[in-house]
Amino acid sequence: MNSAKSIIAPFAVGFWRLLEWQLTDKQCLTYLQQCIELGITDTDHADIYGQYECEAAFGKALKLAPQVREQIKIITKCGIRPALEKKGLAGKANHYDSSKAHIIASAQQSLKNFNTDRLDALLIHRPDYLMEADEVAEAFYTLKRQGDVLDFGVSNFTPSQLELLQARLDFPLFTNQIECSVYQMKALDDGTLDQCQRLSIKPMLWSPLAGGRLFDTQDEKASRLVTVLEQVAQEIGASAIDQVAYTWLNKLPSKPSIVLGTSNINRVESAISALQLTLTREQWYRIWQASTGHSVP
């Protein structure tokens, strides 16, 4: 089996909105196969997506063509526990759980949901203030030894939180999945992307179009960005501003994987086409300036 090191490609397709897409199992499979034909084989999931229903829905689609499982990588996440009565979760508050028992149980449930014998990668979804790093490491070692999970990573972790967990492992965490876009640039300044470069970790970027905020005409920041993105799109021959937004992310030295959250195969094709585009440093910083509202010092 390939290590998840090979998973980190320029794009992954995210299925957190799978239920919202209202696809039949056959339509979901067809969409997945279309992505594969375009070269996107990394799929992003989490146990909590769709109130714990998305993984199973994806698994039903895979069941229609079991051979497709060998063509894709399944990356999923665990650790968020909402107060959902129908799921029998204890307590009245949403909370995080990075205990060994929960991580192992979540991974095993994901295996059942996907109808597979292994997860290509498992990420801790959110930093848990009560995280016992040694306990998380024990869970990872157990799952790795059993062959249930090939590789491990984190999501939304700060540099110090990643360092803490990494210190307890004798294998490298392969990614930190974080929010980053031309609208949300926090990771550029908080050390997250610097750490990825230092450790040769390729980050996965969620919400690369800022969850739609980029297209909010009432948002002053978004309006500034759209004006510049349209200008740069003309300069580099991009067909849409989302291509410019992806190209901006692709220029990051950490060589990230961008998680696409669309069910529109035409938008996936457009994103892939962005790989043929390039930005000058001036264009990249012009977009940065539009986002921050000020020039570099």
Side-chain angles (χ1 to χ4, degrees):
M1 296 181 183
N2 293 330
S3 166
K5 280 292 185 182
S6 63
I7 285 177
I8 304 300
F11 290 101
V13 59
F15 286 87
W16 65 87
R17 292 180 180 149
L18 178 55
L19 297 189
E20 296 177 30
W21 295 342
Q22 297 184 325
L23 303 177
T24 64
D25 296 345
K26 177 61 177 175
Q27 288 172 328
C28 181
L29 175 63
T30 297
Y31 172 65
L32 178 59
Q33 290 172 321
Q34 289 174 325
C35 289
I36 293 170
E37 289 173 1
L38 291 172
I40 297 182
T41 57
D42 302 348
T43 66
D44 180 71
H45 312 265
D47 58 355
I48 194 178
Y49 290 162
Q51 294 192 345
Y52 292 94
E53 301 296 334
C54 283
E55 284 188 344
F58 187 86
K60 289 179 181 177
L62 279 182
K63 207 168 185 178
L64 297 178
Q67 71 277 11
V68 172
R69 171 64 185 97
E70 301 308 314
Q71 299 175 267
I72 64 172
K73 302 292 185 182
I74 293 178
I75 306 168
T76 195
K77 300 178 283 292
C78 71
I80 300 178
R81 304 195 70 177
L84 294 175
E85 291 295 332
K86 69 176 183 178
K87 290 298 179 181
L89 299 181
K92 298 179 180 180
N94 296 340
H95 56 287
Y96 301 139
D97 189 345
S98 61
S99 65
K100 177 181 179 180
H102 180 69
I103 292 171
I104 291 176
S106 293
Q108 292 175 339
Q109 182 59 52
S110 291
L111 290 171
K112 293 177 183 177
N113 291 340
F114 290 121
N115 298 300
T116 187
D117 63 346
R118 85 279 183 192
L119 303 174
D120 294 285
L122 178 68
L123 316 183
I124 302 299
H125 204 156
R126 291 274 179 180
D128 176 8
Y129 298 116
L130 301 179
M131 181 182 79
E132 294 278 359
D134 290 319
E135 190 172 351
V136 175
E138 288 177 14
F140 285 3
Y141 284 128
T142 298
L143 290 168
K144 197 174 186 71
R145 183 172 60 251
Q146 293 173 175
D148 293 335
V149 182
L150 303 187
D151 278 290
F152 301 85
V154 296
S155 181
N156 305 298
F157 271 44
T158 66
S160 62
Q161 290 163 342
L162 188 148
E163 291 279 4
L164 169 61
L165 182 54
Q166 184 62 78
R168 299 301 197 273
L169 300 168
D170 63 7
F171 57 82
L173 293 167
F174 86 98
T175 195
N176 187 3
Q177 186 175 129
I178 59 171
E179 181 180 9
C180 189
S181 67
V182 294
Y183 190 99
Q184 174 54 268
M185 300 182 176
K186 180 182 177 182
L188 271 66
D189 297 308
D190 67 6
T192 301
L193 293 178
D194 296 334
Q195 180 187 57
C196 286
Q197 225 185 139
R198 182 173 67 82
L199 299 177
S200 297
I201 291 174
K202 290 188 177 183
M204 297 181 71
L205 308 182
W206 59 269
S207 201
L209 299 179
R213 284 174 293 173
L214 190 59
F215 306 100
D216 183 354
T217 57
Q218 303 302 311
D219 187 315
E220 180 182 349
K221 179 177 177 178
S223 295
R224 289 198 311 265
L225 271 166
V226 167
T227 297
V228 174
L229 290 171
E230 289 177 341
Q231 181 185 74
V232 174
Q234 291 184 348
E235 294 172 2
I236 67 175
S239 62
I241 63 171
D242 57 344
Q243 287 188 330
V244 182
Y246 296 141
T247 304
W248 189 90
L249 293 171
N250 286 331
K251 196 171 179 66
L252 293 170
S254 51
K255 307 301 181 186
S257 173
I258 299 171
V259 183
L260 304 174
T262 179
S263 63
N264 186 327
I265 197 64
N266 293 325
R267 297 196 66 170
V268 175
E269 290 178 331
S270 177
I272 293 173
S273 295
L275 293 174
Q276 306 305 315
L277 303 173
T278 58
L279 294 175
T280 65
R281 284 175 175 262
E282 187 278 333
Q283 289 167 329
W284 192 93
Y285 274 102
R286 202 190 317 161
I287 294 168
W288 178 90
Q289 178 175 297
S291 182
T292 61
H294 61 79
S295 176
V296 295

